[in-house]
Amino acid sequence: TKRGWRERLSGNAFARSLSSLFVRHPKLDDDLLDELETTLITADVGVEASTELVDSLRKRMHKREFADAPALLAALRQALIALLRPVEQPLDVRGRQPFVVLVVGINGAGKTTTIGKLARRWRDERHAVMLAAGDTFRAAAVEQLKTWGERNQVPVISQGQDADAASVIFDALQAARSRGIDVLIADTAGRLHTQGGLMDELGKIARVLKKIDDAAPHEVLMVIDGTTGQNAVNQVRQFRQIVGVTGLVVTKLDGTAKGGVVFALAREFGLPIRYVGLGETATDLRVFEAEAFVDGLLP
Ligand code: GDP
């Protein structure tokens, strides 16, 4: 429900600075717009998107389109929703069996947690789910994935430490096929400081998957930490050079994130934002909804 979004997002720095702005500055004038511009930029919306938005609102204000500050706020709401509407494209895992989701992103972004949440969601939707422990670089990642698997009664395919990620995921897809699994979610390593190594690894994974299913992976889901601000934009740029990202998940928007990064990502890449993370538990992964998200941030 929309209420849940607001509860989770109202502590967000973007939400807080916007509400304080309209309280401090109830009068409709150029100062309000200047401050709005600063607020948006500070909240990670990005300089270009923020200035474009505010310039357009300013023109409309000078044409006397807005009677008061609340009318401006309503126009801001519409403009923010319009920015996000094109990337509101939910992921549909039906139609392929198994539907293969390759999950990528740098360490700490929330990849393993997101995989656990997705496993829970799809299992609850009565899909047979399997996980592949392809982050073979970190023993802890394999253990974490196994824990999520046990908790949700979802099988996890893994091999010993330092196993070859492509071989783990290849075996998992074979097992998934023979067991009639509906959705295979594969974890991958996220050490971006060795970009060459990661590129080779992800390339090899995609290659071996295609030996079993030409169209696999059906989704390359990149997980991004929403608290990293504009750096998130650089991360997506880097990963897109390595692998064909088809969807995004932005995590940790419930915490100290500024939230504006979602607008920056939407404007910069136009990639579908499939889900957002609004907390740490299994049910805190929401299908992205432009309107609910914007309403969660606005006063
Ligand atoms: P990985 O290294 O990318 O696999 O990252 P993890 O899944 O281990 O997550 C790193 C930390 O972020 C953990 O403490 C998670 O509980 C936390 N985390 C992940 N997603 C969210 C979220 O949506 N909200 C909050 N508050 N914490 C999250």
Side-chain angles (χ1 to χ4, degrees), residues 177-212:
R177 273 210 155 175
S178 66
R179 291 198 221 168
I181 292 291
D182 300 314
V183 192
L184 172 67
I185 314 174
D187 195 7
T188 62
R191 43 187 201 289
L192 203 56
H193 51 278
T194 56
Q195 197 180 351
L198 190 61
M199 197 181 302
D200 292 345
E201 188 161 298
L202 291 175
K204 190 168 160 195
I205 291 168
R207 231 171 32 244
V208 302
L209 284 174
K210 285 189 190 349
K211 294 191 192 302
I212 303 178

Short mmCIF file of all heavy atoms in Angstrom, two decimals, residues 177-212:
data_model
loop_
_atom_site.label_atom_id
_atom_site.label_comp_id
_atom_site.label_asym_id
_atom_site.label_seq_id
_atom_site.Cartn_x
_atom_site.Cartn_y
_atom_site.Cartn_z
N ARG A 177 16.79 -27.15 -14.87
CA ARG A 177 16.03 -27.75 -15.99
C ARG A 177 15.51 -29.12 -15.62
O ARG A 177 14.33 -29.42 -15.83
CB ARG A 177 16.96 -27.90 -17.19
CG ARG A 177 17.00 -26.65 -18.02
CD ARG A 177 17.26 -27.04 -19.45
NE ARG A 177 16.74 -26.02 -20.34
CZ ARG A 177 16.90 -26.03 -21.64
NH1 ARG A 177 17.55 -27.03 -22.21
NH2 ARG A 177 16.40 -25.07 -22.37
N SER A 178 16.37 -29.94 -15.05
CA SER A 178 15.94 -31.31 -14.80
C SER A 178 14.94 -31.38 -13.65
O SER A 178 14.15 -32.31 -13.58
CB SER A 178 17.14 -32.23 -14.57
OG SER A 178 17.80 -31.86 -13.39
N ARG A 179 14.96 -30.38 -12.78
CA ARG A 179 14.02 -30.42 -11.65
C ARG A 179 12.75 -29.60 -11.90
O ARG A 179 11.95 -29.39 -10.99
CB ARG A 179 14.70 -29.87 -10.39
CG ARG A 179 15.78 -30.80 -9.85
CD ARG A 179 16.07 -30.42 -8.42
NE ARG A 179 17.49 -30.46 -8.12
CZ ARG A 179 18.04 -29.96 -7.02
NH1 ARG A 179 17.29 -29.35 -6.13
NH2 ARG A 179 19.34 -30.04 -6.81
N GLY A 180 12.61 -29.07 -13.10
CA GLY A 180 11.40 -28.31 -13.42
C GLY A 180 11.27 -27.00 -12.65
O GLY A 180 10.18 -26.56 -12.31
N ILE A 181 12.42 -26.37 -12.39
CA ILE A 181 12.42 -25.08 -11.67
C ILE A 181 11.88 -23.97 -12.58
O ILE A 181 12.12 -23.97 -13.78
CB ILE A 181 13.87 -24.77 -11.22
CG1 ILE A 181 14.35 -25.75 -10.15
CG2 ILE A 181 14.04 -23.31 -10.77
CD1 ILE A 181 13.67 -25.63 -8.80
N ASP A 182 11.15 -23.02 -11.98
CA ASP A 182 10.59 -21.90 -12.75
C ASP A 182 11.55 -20.73 -12.84
O ASP A 182 11.65 -20.07 -13.87
CB ASP A 182 9.29 -21.40 -12.11
CG ASP A 182 8.24 -22.48 -12.05
OD1 ASP A 182 8.04 -23.18 -13.07
OD2 ASP A 182 7.63 -22.66 -10.97
N VAL A 183 12.21 -20.41 -11.72
CA VAL A 183 13.10 -19.24 -11.69
C VAL A 183 14.43 -19.60 -11.06
O VAL A 183 14.47 -20.08 -9.92
CB VAL A 183 12.49 -18.06 -10.89
CG1 VAL A 183 13.31 -16.79 -11.14
CG2 VAL A 183 11.04 -17.82 -11.23
N LEU A 184 15.50 -19.37 -11.80
CA LEU A 184 16.85 -19.57 -11.25
C LEU A 184 17.47 -18.19 -11.02
O LEU A 184 17.55 -17.38 -11.95
CB LEU A 184 17.72 -20.36 -12.22
CG LEU A 184 19.20 -20.47 -11.85
CD1 LEU A 184 19.39 -21.31 -10.57
CD2 LEU A 184 20.02 -21.08 -12.99
N ILE A 185 17.86 -17.92 -9.77
CA ILE A 185 18.49 -16.64 -9.46
C ILE A 185 19.96 -16.89 -9.17
O ILE A 185 20.30 -17.63 -8.25
CB ILE A 185 17.85 -15.97 -8.22
CG1 ILE A 185 16.32 -16.02 -8.29
CG2 ILE A 185 18.32 -14.52 -8.10
CD1 ILE A 185 15.63 -15.51 -7.02
N ALA A 186 20.84 -16.26 -9.96
CA ALA A 186 22.26 -16.50 -9.80
C ALA A 186 22.97 -15.28 -9.23
O ALA A 186 22.87 -14.18 -9.76
CB ALA A 186 22.88 -16.87 -11.15
N ASP A 187 23.68 -15.52 -8.13
CA ASP A 187 24.51 -14.48 -7.51
C ASP A 187 25.83 -14.42 -8.28
O ASP A 187 26.26 -15.41 -8.88
CB ASP A 187 24.77 -14.87 -6.04
CG ASP A 187 25.29 -13.71 -5.21
OD1 ASP A 187 25.34 -12.57 -5.71
OD2 ASP A 187 25.64 -13.95 -4.03
N THR A 188 26.48 -13.27 -8.27
CA THR A 188 27.79 -13.13 -8.92
C THR A 188 28.70 -12.30 -8.02
O THR A 188 28.23 -11.64 -7.09
CB THR A 188 27.68 -12.41 -10.27
OG1 THR A 188 27.19 -11.08 -10.05
CG2 THR A 188 26.77 -13.14 -11.25
N ALA A 189 30.00 -12.34 -8.32
CA ALA A 189 30.95 -11.56 -7.52
C ALA A 189 30.85 -10.08 -7.89
O ALA A 189 30.43 -9.73 -8.98
CB ALA A 189 32.36 -12.06 -7.77
N GLY A 190 31.25 -9.22 -6.96
CA GLY A 190 31.11 -7.79 -7.22
C GLY A 190 32.34 -6.99 -6.87
O GLY A 190 32.25 -5.91 -6.31
N ARG A 191 33.49 -7.53 -7.23
CA ARG A 191 34.72 -6.79 -6.90
C ARG A 191 35.10 -5.94 -8.11
O ARG A 191 35.79 -6.40 -9.02
CB ARG A 191 35.83 -7.76 -6.52
CG ARG A 191 35.88 -8.97 -7.42
CD ARG A 191 36.86 -10.02 -6.98
NE ARG A 191 37.22 -10.87 -8.10
CZ ARG A 191 36.41 -11.75 -8.67
NH1 ARG A 191 35.19 -11.91 -8.20
NH2 ARG A 191 36.82 -12.47 -9.68
N LEU A 192 34.69 -4.72 -8.09
CA LEU A 192 34.86 -3.85 -9.26
C LEU A 192 36.31 -3.38 -9.42
O LEU A 192 36.71 -2.96 -10.49
CB LEU A 192 33.92 -2.65 -9.18
CG LEU A 192 33.59 -1.98 -10.50
CD1 LEU A 192 33.02 -2.97 -11.50
CD2 LEU A 192 32.65 -0.83 -10.32
N HIS A 193 37.11 -3.47 -8.35
CA HIS A 193 38.49 -2.98 -8.47
C HIS A 193 39.32 -3.84 -9.43
O HIS A 193 40.37 -3.44 -9.87
CB HIS A 193 39.16 -2.87 -7.10
CG HIS A 193 39.03 -4.11 -6.27
ND1 HIS A 193 37.90 -4.39 -5.55
CD2 HIS A 193 39.88 -5.13 -6.08
CE1 HIS A 193 38.07 -5.55 -4.92
NE2 HIS A 193 39.26 -6.02 -5.23
N THR A 194 38.83 -5.05 -9.71
CA THR A 194 39.51 -5.82 -10.75
C THR A 194 38.52 -5.97 -11.91
O THR A 194 38.00 -7.04 -12.16
CB THR A 194 39.92 -7.22 -10.26
OG1 THR A 194 38.74 -7.87 -9.78
CG2 THR A 194 40.94 -7.15 -9.13
N GLN A 195 38.30 -4.86 -12.60
CA GLN A 195 37.26 -4.82 -13.62
C GLN A 195 37.50 -5.85 -14.72
O GLN A 195 36.56 -6.47 -15.21
CB GLN A 195 37.14 -3.42 -14.20
CG GLN A 195 35.82 -3.22 -14.93
CD GLN A 195 35.69 -1.83 -15.51
OE1 GLN A 195 36.49 -0.96 -15.24
NE2 GLN A 195 34.69 -1.63 -16.32
N GLY A 196 38.76 -6.04 -15.09
CA GLY A 196 39.08 -7.02 -16.12
C GLY A 196 38.62 -8.40 -15.72
O GLY A 196 37.95 -9.11 -16.49
N GLY A 197 38.93 -8.78 -14.49
CA GLY A 197 38.55 -10.10 -13.99
C GLY A 197 37.05 -10.28 -13.96
O GLY A 197 36.53 -11.32 -14.36
N LEU A 198 36.36 -9.24 -13.51
CA LEU A 198 34.90 -9.32 -13.42
C LEU A 198 34.29 -9.42 -14.82
O LEU A 198 33.33 -10.16 -15.05
CB LEU A 198 34.38 -8.08 -12.69
CG LEU A 198 32.90 -8.13 -12.30
CD1 LEU A 198 32.64 -9.29 -11.35
CD2 LEU A 198 32.48 -6.83 -11.65
N MET A 199 34.88 -8.67 -15.75
CA MET A 199 34.38 -8.68 -17.12
C MET A 199 34.51 -10.09 -17.71
O MET A 199 33.57 -10.61 -18.30
CB MET A 199 35.17 -7.68 -17.95
CG MET A 199 34.50 -7.32 -19.25
SD MET A 199 35.47 -6.15 -20.24
CE MET A 199 35.65 -4.76 -19.15
N ASP A 200 35.69 -10.70 -17.49
CA ASP A 200 35.91 -12.07 -17.99
C ASP A 200 34.90 -13.02 -17.37
O ASP A 200 34.32 -13.86 -18.05
CB ASP A 200 37.33 -12.55 -17.62
CG ASP A 200 38.39 -11.78 -18.39
OD1 ASP A 200 38.03 -11.10 -19.37
OD2 ASP A 200 39.58 -11.85 -17.98
N GLU A 201 34.72 -12.87 -16.04
CA GLU A 201 33.86 -13.79 -15.33
C GLU A 201 32.40 -13.69 -15.79
O GLU A 201 31.76 -14.69 -16.08
CB GLU A 201 33.97 -13.52 -13.83
CG GLU A 201 33.25 -14.53 -12.98
CD GLU A 201 33.73 -14.50 -11.55
OE1 GLU A 201 34.94 -14.76 -11.32
OE2 GLU A 201 32.92 -14.20 -10.65
N LEU A 202 31.88 -12.44 -15.84
CA LEU A 202 30.48 -12.27 -16.24
C LEU A 202 30.28 -12.68 -17.71
O LEU A 202 29.26 -13.26 -18.07
CB LEU A 202 30.02 -10.83 -16.00
CG LEU A 202 29.91 -10.42 -14.52
CD1 LEU A 202 29.57 -8.94 -14.38
CD2 LEU A 202 28.86 -11.26 -13.79
N GLY A 203 31.28 -12.38 -18.53
CA GLY A 203 31.22 -12.78 -19.94
C GLY A 203 31.15 -14.29 -20.07
O GLY A 203 30.34 -14.83 -20.84
N LYS A 204 31.96 -14.97 -19.28
CA LYS A 204 32.00 -16.43 -19.34
C LYS A 204 30.67 -17.03 -18.84
O LYS A 204 30.15 -17.99 -19.43
CB LYS A 204 33.15 -16.92 -18.46
CG LYS A 204 33.48 -18.39 -18.60
CD LYS A 204 34.80 -18.67 -17.91
CE LYS A 204 34.97 -20.14 -17.58
NZ LYS A 204 36.08 -20.34 -16.62
N ILE A 205 30.12 -16.43 -17.78
CA ILE A 205 28.83 -16.91 -17.26
C ILE A 205 27.76 -16.81 -18.34
O ILE A 205 27.03 -17.76 -18.62
CB ILE A 205 28.41 -16.10 -16.00
CG1 ILE A 205 29.35 -16.43 -14.83
CG2 ILE A 205 26.97 -16.40 -15.62
CD1 ILE A 205 29.22 -15.51 -13.63
N ALA A 206 27.69 -15.64 -18.98
CA ALA A 206 26.68 -15.44 -20.02
C ALA A 206 26.89 -16.45 -21.16
O ALA A 206 25.92 -17.01 -21.69
CB ALA A 206 26.74 -14.01 -20.56
N ARG A 207 28.14 -16.69 -21.51
CA ARG A 207 28.46 -17.61 -22.61
C ARG A 207 28.03 -19.05 -22.30
O ARG A 207 27.40 -19.69 -23.13
CB ARG A 207 29.97 -17.57 -22.86
CG ARG A 207 30.30 -17.33 -24.32
CD ARG A 207 31.77 -17.06 -24.60
NE ARG A 207 32.74 -17.69 -23.75
CZ ARG A 207 33.57 -17.01 -22.93
NH1 ARG A 207 33.49 -15.70 -22.84
NH2 ARG A 207 34.45 -17.65 -22.19
N VAL A 208 28.35 -19.51 -21.09
CA VAL A 208 28.01 -20.92 -20.81
C VAL A 208 26.50 -21.10 -20.61
O VAL A 208 25.96 -22.15 -20.96
CB VAL A 208 28.78 -21.51 -19.59
CG1 VAL A 208 30.28 -21.42 -19.83
CG2 VAL A 208 28.38 -20.86 -18.29
N LEU A 209 25.82 -20.07 -20.10
CA LEU A 209 24.36 -20.16 -19.97
C LEU A 209 23.74 -20.38 -21.34
O LEU A 209 22.81 -21.16 -21.51
CB LEU A 209 23.79 -18.89 -19.32
CG LEU A 209 23.98 -18.75 -17.80
CD1 LEU A 209 23.51 -17.38 -17.34
CD2 LEU A 209 23.21 -19.86 -17.07
N LYS A 210 24.27 -19.68 -22.34
CA LYS A 210 23.71 -19.76 -23.70
C LYS A 210 23.90 -21.14 -24.32
O LYS A 210 23.20 -21.50 -25.27
CB LYS A 210 24.34 -18.69 -24.58
CG LYS A 210 23.77 -17.31 -24.25
CD LYS A 210 24.19 -16.27 -25.23
CE LYS A 210 23.83 -14.85 -24.79
NZ LYS A 210 22.94 -14.68 -23.64
N LYS A 211 24.82 -21.92 -23.79
CA LYS A 211 25.00 -23.29 -24.31
C LYS A 211 23.78 -24.14 -23.95
O LYS A 211 23.46 -25.11 -24.62
CB LYS A 211 26.27 -23.93 -23.74
CG LYS A 211 27.53 -23.23 -24.23
CD LYS A 211 28.77 -24.02 -23.88
CE LYS A 211 30.04 -23.22 -24.11
NZ LYS A 211 30.20 -22.75 -25.50
N ILE A 212 23.11 -23.77 -22.86
CA ILE A 212 21.92 -24.51 -22.45
C ILE A 212 20.66 -23.83 -22.98
O ILE A 212 19.74 -24.48 -23.44
CB ILE A 212 21.86 -24.64 -20.91
CG1 ILE A 212 23.13 -25.31 -20.38
CG2 ILE A 212 20.61 -25.41 -20.49
CD1 ILE A 212 23.18 -25.45 -18.88
#
